[in-house]
Amino acid sequence: MARFIAVERGTGRVYGDTARFGSAGNVVSPADAVCLFDRHAGRAARGFGYVKADSQSAHYDIYEIPHSAPDSATASDAAAQALIHHHGSLVTSLVTYNS
C-alpha cells in the first residue's frame, strides 16, 4: 500500500503520516488517509473532493512517499516536511465537506 502524508494547505502543518499507524495506515487512496487521520483525531466524518494542485479551494495537499524511502514514522512536522521534500511527490489536493 502507499504511504501518504497530508499537509494542511492554509497552515503548512502536517495533518498526518500514514506510517504513524503501522499496518492500520495501509490505505489505498489519499481520501482514505485523511479519513484515517480524522478518526484518530476524533473528528466527525467528512466528505472529500479531488481538486487540481493549484486550486485555491484545496484544504489538503497529499504527498505519496515511495516504498524505497525511509519507512519510519515521522515524529515532527519538520521531519515530515524534509521527507516530502526529498522523497515525496504531490499526488492530489483535496477539498473537504462536512457531512
Side-chain angles (χ1 to χ4, degrees), residues 27-64:
V27 297
V28 296
S29 75
D32 290 342
V34 178
C35 287
L36 173 70
F37 305 145
D38 281 354
R39 277 193 310 275
H40 280 83
R43 287 187 86 155
R46 301 182 283 173
F48 299 94
Y50 291 86
V51 294
K52 293 182 180 182
D54 61 354
S55 171
Q56 296 300 314
S57 62
H59 294 116
Y60 297 99
D61 289 323
I62 313 298
Y63 296 86
E64 185 171 358

